């Protein structure tokens, strides 16, 4: 038996979160792996402010309680996110699992969270005290550790509307379908007026937190493809140092080799 509150507005959800000892519950696909019979849950799936996908001038704003199926079916969803989400689990999990749960569970294997890193997306965190919008890179403090305060909810993810069309995405798992990532990789690169306007790369399932090194990617920004070729080995060497995989069921050496192969393939696919 799962006990809890079912707020029907964001205000009601935040009031309950501020007053009671409750655990936010979106799709439950992570929480129900280890159900806590003593817990009281705050069900988020009837909070309309967290269920929308809309756009404004700058961003596509994705409600944290949108399921993966909602995201796949929405025409505003950028192709890079749609592709990654389509590879998550199977339809039954995609019908329940949400992007908010994927981000807040704090795992570097979270496939949609990794895309939000590769697209420099922002998170809108709200409590009764107010709200803050932070880059996703500032949300994670370590494995399963986030900056989310006890009285806060992740309400929306803000993805840039522009510049995400030329992307590269690969998920390496044990099988082609129904697999948790062993390594995941996403990258976006745009050339405008002959020079690289942006280059954003993320590696998931490699370290405790998704790896996103804007400082290394800056080596390519402002360069022509020819000039980028000239610094390619230096760029690869910087990532070779930056990627320090954790050991698990999969060896650190394997993860590192896959990361570097994917990075090279991404560069080559862009003529670098
Ligand atoms: C069989 C199976 C296969 C899976 N395959 C994949 C896969 O391929 N790729 C992948 O990335 N994941 C996979 N998962 C993991 C899981 O489905 C995802 O992480 C999913 O996104 C979790 O979302 P949820 O809504 O179910 O989260 P929940 O279980 O409801 O919550 C997860 C955590 O986030 C917190 N939370 C949820 N929403 C909010 C919010 N808005 N604000 C604050 N805190 C919040 C909860 O309190 C909890 O701590 C799989 C799970 C299963 C069971």
């Amino acid at each position: 038996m799962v006990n809890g509150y079912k707020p029907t507005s964001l205000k009601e959800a935040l009031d309950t979160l501020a007053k009671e000892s409750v655990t936010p519950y979106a799709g439950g696909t992570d929480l129900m792996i280890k159900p806590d019979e003593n817990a009281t849950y705050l069900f988020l799936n009837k909070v309309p402010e967290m269920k929308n996908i809309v756009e404004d001038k700058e961003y596509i704003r994705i409600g944290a309680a949108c399921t993966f199926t909602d995201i796949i079916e929405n025409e505003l969803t950028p192709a890079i996110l749609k592709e990654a989400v389509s590879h998550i689990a199977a339809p039954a999990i995609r019908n329940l699992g949400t992007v908010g749960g994927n981000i807040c569970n704090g795992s570097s294997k979270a496939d949609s969270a990794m895309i939000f890193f590769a697209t420099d997306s922002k998170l809108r965190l709200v409590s009764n005290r107010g709200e803050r919008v932070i880059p996703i890179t500032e949300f994670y403090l370590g494995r399963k550790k986030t900056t989310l305060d006890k009285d806060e909810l992740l309400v929306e993810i803000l993805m840039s509307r522009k510049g995400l069309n030329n992307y590269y995405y690969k998920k390496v798992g044990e099988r082609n379908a129904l697999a948790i990532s062993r390594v995941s990789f996403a990258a976006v690169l745009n050339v405008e007026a002959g020079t690289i306007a942006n280059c954003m790369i993320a590696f998931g399932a490699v370290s405790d937190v998704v790896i996103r090194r804007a400082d290394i990617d800056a080596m390519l920004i402002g360069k022509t493809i020819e000039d980028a070729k000239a610094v390619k080995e230096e760029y690869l060497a910087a990532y070779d140092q930056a990627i320090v995989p954790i050991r698990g069921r999969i060896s650190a050496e394997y993860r590192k080799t896959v990361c570097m192969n994917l990075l090279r393939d991404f560069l080559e696919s862009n003529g670098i």
Side-chain angles (χ1 to χ4, degrees):
M1 176 70 185
V2 181
N3 295 314
Y5 294 87
K6 284 188 186 163
T8 54
S9 72
L10 182 58
K11 182 175 184 316
E12 192 187 338
L14 294 173
D15 284 347
T16 310
L17 192 60
K19 276 190 270 175
E20 309 283 339
S21 174
V22 289
T23 305
Y25 183 116
T29 62
D30 278 324
L31 284 171
M32 285 303 108
I33 302 247
K34 279 192 196 156
D36 175 357
E37 285 182 9
N38 299 317
T40 305
Y41 292 104
L42 180 68
F43 296 100
L44 301 175
N45 61 339
K46 296 276 185 288
V47 178
E49 294 92 332
M50 297 173 72
K51 295 288 296 173
N52 295 325
I53 301 178
V54 293
E55 59 183 344
D56 62 20
K57 267 194 189 154
E58 218 178 324
Y59 299 111
I60 295 156
R61 309 175 77 101
I62 302 172
C66 288
T67 65
F68 297 129
T69 303
D70 293 335
I71 283 165
I72 292 167
E73 289 176 351
N74 197 292
E75 59 180 22
L76 293 178
T77 305
I80 184 173
L81 180 62
K82 214 173 255 199
E83 182 174 343
V85 162
S86 306
H87 286 90
I88 291 178
I93 296 288
R94 294 201 289 269
N95 287 341
L96 287 172
T98 66
V99 270
N102 203 234
I103 293 169
C104 293
N105 73 17
S107 165
S108 74
K109 293 181 183 155
D111 289 317
S112 74
M114 195 276 288
I115 297 299
F116 297 126
F117 271 85
T119 52
D120 278 354
S121 296
K122 295 180 179 155
L123 306 181
R124 184 171 157 242
L125 309 172
V126 186
S127 73
N128 265 348
R129 296 171 287 119
E131 68 171 65
R132 53 191 178 124
V133 175
I134 60 166
I136 191 166
T137 44
E138 290 176 14
F139 186 64
Y140 294 93
L141 302 174
R143 189 174 175 275
K144 301 275 175 200
K145 284 194 205 118
T146 72
T147 62
L148 193 74
D149 284 327
K150 261 192 162 313
D151 62 346
E152 269 182 328
L153 289 174
L154 168 59
V155 171
E156 279 183 326
I157 301 106
L158 278 57
M159 272 187 108
S160 173
R161 280 185 53 182
K162 289 190 208 129
L164 305 182
N165 289 343
N166 182 38
Y167 73 90
Y168 179 107
Y169 173 71
K170 286 272 174 2
K171 169 172 174 166
V172 179
E174 196 181 355
R175 304 172 286 272
N176 279 339
L178 270 174
I180 300 293
S181 291
R182 285 182 162 175
V183 172
S184 58
F185 176 85
V188 175
L189 184 139
N190 277 299
V191 176
E192 280 170 22
T195 59
I196 297 173
N198 69 355
C199 173
M200 305 181 280
I201 288 174
F203 298 89
V206 174
S207 230
D208 285 342
V209 175
V210 172
I211 298 171
R212 168 85 182 93
R213 290 290 302 266
D215 58 327
I216 299 180
D217 295 334
M219 287 169 70
L220 302 185
I221 295 172
K223 296 204 163 49
T224 62
I225 295 293
E226 278 313 306
D227 289 347
K229 276 187 201 166
V231 295
K232 178 176 174 178
E233 290 311 317
E234 202 187 324
Y235 176 79
L236 287 168
Y239 265 114
D240 194 45
Q241 262 209 323
I243 299 168
V244 183
I246 39 165
R247 281 170 202 282
R249 259 181 264 167
I250 310 301
S251 77
E253 292 74 18
Y254 169 86
R255 284 190 212 273
K256 179 73 157 277
T257 305
V258 173
C259 288
M260 295 309 293
N261 287 347
L262 291 172
L263 185 55
R264 270 185 192 277
D265 193 44
F266 153 69
L267 293 174
E268 280 165 21
S269 72
N270 281 286
I272 300 170

